[in-house]
Amino acid sequence: MTDTHSGANRKEEKHVPSQHSSRNHLITFGLSIILTAIAFAAVAMEQVDVKSVVPFIFLLALIQAGFQLFVWMHLDQKGHQFQRIFMAAGAFVALLTIVTFVFWIWW
Amino acid sequence: MSANHALHTELPAEPEKATLEGRNKILAFWFFLGGESVLFGSLFATFIALRDKANGGPTGVELFSLPLVAAATMLLLTSSLTSVMSILAMHKKNVSQMVFWLVITALLGLGFLGLEMYEFYEYVHEGHTLRSSAFGSAFYTLVGFHGAHVAFGLLWLFALLAMTGKKGLTVVTAPKYFVFSLYWHFVDLVWVFIFTVVYLMGKVGV
């Protein structure tokens, strides 16, 4: 197995798409850690105004979710049109449910 | 060696997408993830609607410990990275490296689950249970459902590791690793919203 595949390795190394580079993933990981740390710090230090901290940490969460979907799950790559429709439809229904419930308790 | 039989003498660059069956599995799994988004969306909606109905019991501000949640977040976020590393190793056809990253993923997942069990145990002792209040019901349903996803993912991962020993990496087994890594990323994605909506917003107390 090792013999045939070390040969195959050398031949196919250049075909691996650049989006798969581990450097990209490590950068995204580092950014996710930073975003998480900022979100926790904003709440823990109680410096940010209560009304603005919730939209702020929610924005950070959305950015991190985008990292997961587009960098780690490769939703941005070609041939993922149906995948994007599935996730957009799911997110739409989820968001509609959440908005409905939030308005239901306000009024 | 014997596992790498007649199908192909050598693996293509992206073995998970080499067969129609593999591509169909990945497409169908995204359909499932769309449905999972709706499921978690409804649980989040319920939690947001009921999170201040503590019924005289402990509230989120009193219960939640941010260092514990931060540690759990680190474990799960890192395990998402290690599962992507295992797919990178798979694309390099390096089976032992792939198994190494999968084992690390499993250990981090177990650590996360251990912290969550400890957390729930503490809460129950402080009078925060599934039946104590609407807040309790919504909390344990949402966070517990996510924890159950982690637990199921771990069982899945152990089955994959057992399969690796028997069948090795082929165009038939490659989609199974890939689909698992999609699942694991999605579980981490849901956790990002849980620590934001449940713990951080609970600690802010609005």
Side-chain angles (χ1 to χ4, degrees), chain A residues 61-99:
Chain A
L62 282 176
I63 296 171
Q64 253 201 81
F67 281 163
Q68 291 273 347
L69 283 169
F70 291 104
V71 182
W72 286 358
M73 295 164 87
H74 305 303
L75 204 56
D76 58 334
Q77 286 184 7
K78 270 188 187 170
H80 281 64
Q81 290 87 348
F82 272 110
Q83 279 90 327
R84 283 198 284 270
I85 292 171
F86 295 160
M87 291 312 281
F92 173 73
V93 177
L95 203 65
L96 195 66
T97 316
I98 291 166
V99 168

Side-chain angles (χ1 to χ4, degrees), chain A residues 1 5 9 12 20 22 29 33 50 54 57 61 64 68-69 72-73 75 82-83 86-87 90 94 98 101, chain B residues 1 4 11 14 27 30-31 34 37 41 45 74 78 80 88 91-93 182 185 188-189 192 196 200 206:
Chain A
M1 178 161 168
H5 280 88
N9 258 344
E12 280 169 10
H20 285 210
S22 58
F29 178 68
I33 298 266
V50 165
V54 170
I57 58 175
Q64 253 201 81
Q68 291 273 347
L69 283 169
W72 286 358
M73 295 164 87
L75 204 56
F82 272 110
Q83 279 90 327
F86 295 160
M87 291 312 281
I98 291 166
F101 273 53
Chain B
M1 183 70 245
N4 250 332
L11 279 176
E14 287 184 320
L27 182 65
W30 277 100
F31 187 66
S37 309
M74 276 306 150
T78 311
S80 204
L88 292 177
H91 284 159
K92 285 187 223 147
K93 288 132 194 140
L182 287 180
H185 291 316
D188 189 40
L189 192 155
V192 169
T196 304
L200 293 183
V206 276

Side-chain angles (χ1 to χ4, degrees), chain B residues 36-128:
Chain B
E36 288 270 277
S37 309
V38 176
L39 173 90
F40 276 106
S42 65
L43 292 176
F44 271 110
T46 313
F47 180 82
I48 292 168
L50 299 173
R51 67 199 190 95
D52 53 352
K53 308 285 188 289
N55 195 26
T59 61
V61 181
E62 294 155 18
L63 282 170
F64 300 150
S65 141
L66 286 187
L68 184 82
V69 181
T73 304
M74 276 306 150
L75 288 176
L76 207 60
L77 189 60
T78 311
S79 81
S80 204
L81 175 77
T82 57
S83 79
V84 93
M85 296 311 262
S86 79
I87 295 303
L88 292 177
M90 183 181 90
H91 284 159
K92 285 187 223 147
K93 288 132 194 140
N94 191 336
V95 178
S96 59
Q97 203 182 9
M98 179 184 82
V99 168
F100 169 78
W101 287 118
L102 286 177
V103 169
I104 301 288
T105 306
L107 291 176
L108 291 167
L110 279 172
F112 173 85
L113 215 54
L115 278 184
E116 188 152 275
M117 278 149 75
Y118 165 79
E119 184 196 357
F120 282 10
Y121 180 81
E122 288 287 303
Y123 291 168
V124 167
H125 278 256
E126 289 174 48
H128 176 58

Side-chain angles (χ1 to χ4, degrees), chain B residues 125-200:
Chain B
H125 278 256
E126 289 174 48
H128 176 58
T129 68
L130 191 62
R131 299 177 64 190
S132 63
S133 65
F135 165 56
S137 310
F139 172 85
Y140 284 109
T141 314
L142 172 59
V143 183
F145 224 90
H146 175 269
H149 272 74
V150 174
F152 175 78
L154 285 171
L155 291 177
W156 185 358
L157 183 48
F158 293 143
L160 280 180
L161 287 169
M163 182 196 71
T164 312
K166 278 176 107 176
K167 296 186 177 171
L169 180 62
T170 68
V171 287
V172 178
T173 57
K176 298 173 199 280
Y177 301 108
F178 191 82
V179 160
F180 168 78
S181 93
L182 287 180
Y183 176 84
W184 201 255
H185 291 316
F186 182 78
V187 168
D188 189 40
L189 192 155
V190 172
W191 179 256
V192 169
F193 287 105
I194 289 186
F195 84 66
T196 304
V197 172
V198 176
Y199 294 100
L200 293 183

